Amino acid sequence: MKTIRMILLALLVFIIPLITASCWNYREIDKLGVVAGVAIDRGKDGKYKITVEIVEVSGGKDSKTESRIITAEGKTIFDAVRNGISLSGKRLYWSHTKVVIISRQLAVDGVIQVLDWFNRDAETRADFHILVSKGESAKEVLEIGEKNEDVKSFDLEYMIENQRSLSKAPQTEIWEFTNELAAQGVAAVVPAIELYKTNGKVVPRIMGTAIFKEDKLLGFIDGEETKDMLFIQNEIKGGLLIEQEDGAEDAMPSVSLEVFNSKTKVEPTILQDGSIQMNINTETIVAIDEIGGSENVIDEEGRKKLEQSAEETLKTRIESLIKKVQSEYGADIFGFGAKLREDKPKVWAGVENRWEDIFKNLQVKVTTKVHIRNSAMMAKPLEVGD
Amino acid sequence: MFGKSRKTNETKIKKDNAPKKTKNESTLTKSLENNISLFKNIFSGDETLIIRRFQNKYLAAAKCCILYFDGMVNTEILNENIIQPILSGNLAQEISGDNLLEELQYKVIVCGSVQATADIDELIGSITYGDTIFLLEGYEKALIINSKGWKTRAISEPESTRVVRGPREGFNESIIINLSLVRRKIKNPDLKFKFKQLGERTHTKICICYIEGLALDSILSELEQRLDKIDIDGVIDSGYIQEFIRDEPFSPFETVGYSERPDVVAAKLLEGRIAVFVDGSPFVLTVPFVIAETTQANEDYYNNYIYSSINRFLRSSATIISVSIPALYLAVTTYHQEMLPTPLLLSIAASRQGVPFPTFVSLLLMLIVFDVLREAGTRMPAPIGQAVNIVGTLVLGQAAVEARLVSAPVVIITALSGITTLMNIGMIGATIIVRTFLLLTTSFMGIYGYILGFMIVIIHLMTMRSFGVPYMLNLSTFKNHNAQDVWIRAPWWTMTLRPKIIAAKNLVRQSTRKNNRGK
């Protein structure tokens, strides 16, 4: 009896995972239509139009990677995806997808209907990069334009990932976006992509930020402003601070400062009159990497002056960005509300329902600190003889 | 099975394997000629039997005869130590008593071992083992003179296990020489040798060797019991015995160890294990055997312990890699493509373009091809060896990929799996079987099948015993001294204890107070 029970138990242990283990299927690797990226547009009659970039490899000794673009329509995203089979011949495989580009029109209408399938399906990953097309169509980003790599979507992925040393666009993976949608007191941001003409060629360019309120697109801010936004969000991983003064006689030469490390602390305080003020303290470590003149900004005195002026510039820029967002969009992209909820939950409970209005008139106090660590390979400015 | 005629034949097969003459009825008589013809009869049809009659110059009564087999004896001993003294010595003067045979045995014959007997079976046993029979007119007894002198292979480095550092001698086919090699390493009266004879027709000598006070009595008596149960007509190699005495007869994993090196056997004896020597085989068996021993090379103990630990670790992981890597490749490329980095996915997909067989089939085929090559290479005459290389590398590797019969990654996986198999020669059979098993389970169920299959293998190993000792001894714990000789080889000064359970009788290898490391 006991042995029978043991055998049954063992069988159960082995069989249950067989049934419950979710998605598995024998597929040969060369029979997959690997989707590298997808662009989603609004089609006719309220349908969705998805444009899929499929990686095509041709084997043998000199294997070649190419991409093929197909466009399918469907009443829902999944419908469109499955309709793609009749065009591609292969079943589309979504686990290696890098980017999802959403057209401006769809983003304005709301992205939940689009992104639900990407979050829900077992094959799709939660770490796609999500982009919003600044132009009318998302499709054209994939279709038109030069590419460096064999596959355009891989190009875009590198572009996004290397933004960390430029800081002119945020990085948003799909899970972050859905998190921000769900979170209270923070609005979602997504990098913006556009087609850009350079040297007579049209190339995609990732620059600037699309600002969402709930799941609907409100508008865009440009690359420089994005950098300031990242400063506030404590998301700066690199990038430059440019110091340029014009006009005055004793103006400093223009200097490029490379950001090594930056830390921002946002602290809400309650003022005496009961209103809320956000204190933003940033501390940035930079290095002088370019000096556009022969004045000495490296010695003690010059460095002080440079630091001061850099602090000043950063401060005004942050302040003006906040003002702009407050007045133009009213969407709390900096997550001030979330911060308040964390630090002072009681206050937050009181203002939760009115947060939108409060944010528009929120007082901000910005303190910036810039430390110059070194001047790269040279200890002096270039000297100019006679 | 093959019809009626076959069946009638089968009924004629005798049920016992005894040779036709088990006991010799005849006895020795006083007549020398009768005795000689008795032996002639016994060995009729055997023309290697040499009969030499001779007589002393001075004493006519000393009419004698020696019998031996050509090639089995040292003729120098015969000529100078037996024939010459009896032939030319003045026996009439030297011999005083009546018992001429005894006088000859004690006073004349110059040889290390001379023994008088009347037992015909004993005489037959001795003469077939290279001794000389000495017959004397008028005596019902015969002398057995130890004149063994057949040619043996020189003691040389074993082909199967070479070392860079360590003793280079290996066992040969003579049991006596093999025992002497071990005795020379362990000079201690506690080293015991117990002889047995196995094989109804071959009368093969086997020897149980152990160190008293270290080897467990229970294991020793179990071993003797298992050996006594063996009833076979012939034992040609220790492999016969290995299969008779092993635990878990249906498992692909070996539960009896073997070695061709005296240093290895001596070290195992010192750990409390018991060795079984078999005459005619250079491979000496050791019991009990645990799985960790498959990865222990003798050189580990002679080299720097850090270097040894690296090697030990590589060897242990090689077996796991070789059973796992084809299955994991199959799982990842046919079930879980999302686990691959994108560039790898694309390059594997590219290499699979136009390959007609499923990954599972091509992996299985290539692994079989590898084993075919390995087997062909092992048993091939050396001059043809090059052909195997050409076939292996050019035809099956390069050409198969270029002809798109298999994809390049499959060839790489096969090669990796094959090479790692060879790193652990003792486990080769088990590795091949487990590898194929895991490949099968994976082909049904992906990575889940791999995990399931691996679990089944581990459970099987966990249930195994070798002479009462758990086969996975010391693999499940890192406490105390247990793990120091498994995945790594700990420094000698820390290995103060012998392996537990095996040497339960006396665990202490080093008394720590004498320890003088670092001086």
Side-chain angles (χ1 to χ4, degrees), chain A residues 9-22:
Chain A
L9 192 71
L11 277 178
L12 267 181
V13 167
F14 287 141
I15 290 170
I16 285 175
L18 249 186
I19 302 163
T20 53
S22 58

Side-chain angles (χ1 to χ4, degrees), chain A residues 68-207:
Chain A
R68 188 155 66 105
I69 287 177
I70 58 169
T71 305
E73 283 195 27
K75 287 180 192 129
T76 60
I77 297 288
F78 198 28
D79 186 28
V81 165
R82 280 290 152 94
N83 285 341
I85 294 181
S86 55
L87 297 167
S88 72
K90 293 171 177 175
R91 219 188 103 184
L92 299 182
Y93 183 68
W94 291 84
S95 287
H96 286 270
T97 308
K98 305 293 181 200
V99 289
V100 179
I101 304 165
I102 297 173
S103 80
R104 185 178 195 156
Q105 186 55 48
L106 265 182
V108 167
D109 291 350
V111 289
I112 282 189
Q113 37 186 332
V114 179
L115 292 184
D116 182 75
W117 180 75
F118 289 98
N119 271 305
R120 195 178 299 278
D121 192 80
E123 218 172 68
T124 53
R125 289 195 182 192
D127 65 347
F128 301 172
H129 291 287
I130 168 165
L131 294 163
V132 169
S133 157
K134 246 180 177 170
E136 276 309 308
S137 145
K139 184 181 172 194
E140 63 183 22
V141 178
L142 285 183
E143 273 183 342
I144 309 169
E146 300 284 319
K147 49 188 173 183
N148 311 325
E149 297 272 328
D150 305 316
V151 182
K152 172 84 69 61
S153 304
F154 294 167
D155 257 3
L156 297 180
E157 194 203 5
Y158 295 137
M159 267 186 229
I160 296 167
E161 279 175 359
N162 288 329
Q163 276 291 340
R164 63 176 57 230
S165 46
L166 181 65
S167 295
K168 285 189 177 173
Q171 273 191 44
T172 310
E173 291 177 358
I174 237 172
W175 64 272
E176 289 172 317
F177 186 77
T178 41
N179 274 7
E180 281 175 10
L181 276 186
Q184 290 178 303
V186 59
V189 289
V190 166
I193 187 164
E194 63 191 330
L195 286 175
Y196 180 72
K197 250 194 176 151
T198 171
N199 300 336
K201 290 177 188 167
V202 179
V203 292
R205 183 173 76 154
I206 295 172
M207 178 78 88

